[in-house]
């Protein structure tokens, strides 16, 4: 199995990760994010919501859970090497993320400010994710809407100056075009690439386990064993790689 890290990231300086909830980044790309920061790439992780509805606990409010999950997430981001200024919460509502012009504008702002060379986000296409022949699951509505919003924000809304012209009151923002994407939750596609995470899988697991309201360390280990590919003792994360015109 090929390690495509240099192929995908060799000429990249800045990578943005846009996910729906705290812990999504670790689950789908934690080893890759850790490898990027270890390689001195600048990485910004944007969470669309704080995951405030993501619990079966009955004796906690949405507000309290949201604060708890953000606190857990900050620990996880620190473990992955994400700087505080590049750890962003948009607080659009767990289970309420919409693909609309308002939210596209919020992400276009992030893109114009951070200026990524590549964006990692969710699967925007499939209502049902096919993992293997007899294993499938429903793609979370928040995940699909996050992916669509992210891709539209990257093109054309962050590029064209007459979309959200109020952004440019901030002199640090410029027109920006990002046309390369890694999409998670793809397991059988001709555009797939694999990123070796041998040296960062333990960092992934530690960061994932920081979400203690959701996972134990065993759950984090099991998730790594399930979602990462293993071949000849090596570990890989898998993505669909898109280079758009």
């Amino acid at each position: 199995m090929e390690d495509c890290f240099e192929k995908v990231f060799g000429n990249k300086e800045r990578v943005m990760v846009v996910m729906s909830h705290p812990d999504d980044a670790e689950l789908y790309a934690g080893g890759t994010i850790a490898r990027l920061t270890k390689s001195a790439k600048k990485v910004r992780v944007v969470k669309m919501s704080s995951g405030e509805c993501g619990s079966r606990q009955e004796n906690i409010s949405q507000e309290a859970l949201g604060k708890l999950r953000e606190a857990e997430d900050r620990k996880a981001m620190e473990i992955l090497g994400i700087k505080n200024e590049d750890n962003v919460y948009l607080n659009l509502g767990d289970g309420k993320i919409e693909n609309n012009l308002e939210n596209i504008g919020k992400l276009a702002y992030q893109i114009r400010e951070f200026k990524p060379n590549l964006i990692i986000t969710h699967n925007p296409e499939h209502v049902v994710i096919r993992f293997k022949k007899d294993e499938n699951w429903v793609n979370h509505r928040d995940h699909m809407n996050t992916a669509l919003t992210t891709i539209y924000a990257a093109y054309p809304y962050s590029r064209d100056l007459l979309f959200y012209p109020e952004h440019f009151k901030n002199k640090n923002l410029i027109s920006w075009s990002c046309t390369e994407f890694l999409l998670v939750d793809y397991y059988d596609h001709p555009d797939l690439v694999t990123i070796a995470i041998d040296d960062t899988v333990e960092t992934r697991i530690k960061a994932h386990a920081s979400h203690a309201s959701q996972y134990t360390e065993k759950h984090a280990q099991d998730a790594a064993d399930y979602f990462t590919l293993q071949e000849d003792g090596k570990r890989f994360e898998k993505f669909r790689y898109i280079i758009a015109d």
Side-chain angles (χ1 to χ4, degrees):
M1 197 173 294
E2 180 185 4
D3 177 20
C4 298
F5 186 87
E6 285 302 317
K7 171 185 173 182
V8 175
F9 297 113
N11 62 345
K12 310 295 190 303
E13 296 181 0
R14 307 167 78 86
V15 177
M16 180 178 283
V17 182
V18 184
M19 295 287 161
S20 297
H21 314 102
D23 76 36
D24 286 340
E26 295 87 336
L27 179 66
Y28 295 112
T32 298
I33 293 169
R35 187 171 174 187
L36 286 166
T37 59
K38 191 176 179 180
S39 301
K41 307 291 186 181
K42 191 163 178 59
V43 182
R44 174 169 291 188
V45 183
V46 179
K47 269 77 58 162
M48 301 288 271
S49 83
S50 297
E52 66 274 12
C53 294
S55 177
R56 296 178 179 84
Q57 300 176 58
E58 296 181 357
N59 297 319
I60 189 167
S61 68
Q62 288 186 29
E63 181 181 5
L65 182 59
K67 289 180 179 178
L68 173 60
R69 295 202 66 186
E70 283 192 17
E72 293 171 344
D73 189 68
R74 289 188 184 95
K75 291 179 183 177
M77 292 297 105
E78 185 177 356
I79 290 167
L80 291 180
I82 304 301
K83 295 181 179 179
N84 188 57
E85 63 266 27
D86 288 319
N87 183 31
V88 178
Y89 305 93
L90 295 185
N91 295 309
L92 301 181
D94 189 2
K96 300 175 183 177
I97 298 168
E98 301 293 343
N99 173 34
N100 59 30
L101 290 174
E102 180 180 0
N103 291 341
I104 288 171
K106 292 178 187 296
L107 281 181
Y109 186 98
Q110 292 294 321
I111 292 168
R112 286 169 166 175
E113 181 179 60
F114 185 71
K115 308 169 187 67
N117 308 117
L118 181 144
I119 297 173
I120 302 174
T121 192
H122 294 284
N123 181 328
E125 294 183 287
H126 300 130
V127 175
V128 176
I129 302 294
R130 179 183 174 87
F131 184 68
K132 56 179 72 169
K133 183 177 183 294
D134 297 317
E135 291 185 62
N136 307 280
W137 53 80
V138 174
N139 194 0
H140 197 303
R141 180 179 180 272
D142 279 353
H143 291 190
M144 289 193 72
N145 283 343
T146 293
L148 290 168
T149 301
T150 301
I151 291 167
Y152 294 147
Y155 176 83
Y157 290 91
S158 65
R159 184 196 66 180
D160 294 351
L161 293 172
L162 296 181
F163 290 123
Y164 312 105
E166 66 276 10
H167 289 176
F168 302 110
K169 293 177 183 178
N170 182 337
K171 300 303 182 183
N172 293 321
L173 272 62
I174 62 172
S175 163
W176 191 259
S177 181
C178 181
T179 59
E180 294 193 36
F181 302 88
L182 288 184
L183 305 178
V184 308
D185 238 0
Y186 282 87
Y187 306 99
D188 182 17
H189 195 282
D191 296 330
L192 291 182
V193 294
T194 47
I195 306 296
I197 59 165
D198 303 63
D199 295 336
T200 56
V201 66
E202 293 303 323
T203 305
R204 168 198 161 112
I205 292 166
K206 184 178 179 182
H208 202 184
S210 295
H211 298 273
S213 67
Q214 310 295 306
Y215 300 96
T216 65
E217 188 165 342
K218 184 178 186 306
H219 289 143
Q221 179 70 62
D222 289 346
D225 291 342
Y226 185 77
F227 282 104
T228 66
L229 301 172
Q230 300 182 55
E231 183 176 276
D232 298 328
K234 296 182 180 296
R235 294 259 197 167
F236 299 85
E237 289 174 339
K238 184 187 291 189
F239 305 89
R240 181 182 176 192
Y241 183 34
I242 298 295
I243 304 176
D245 292 332

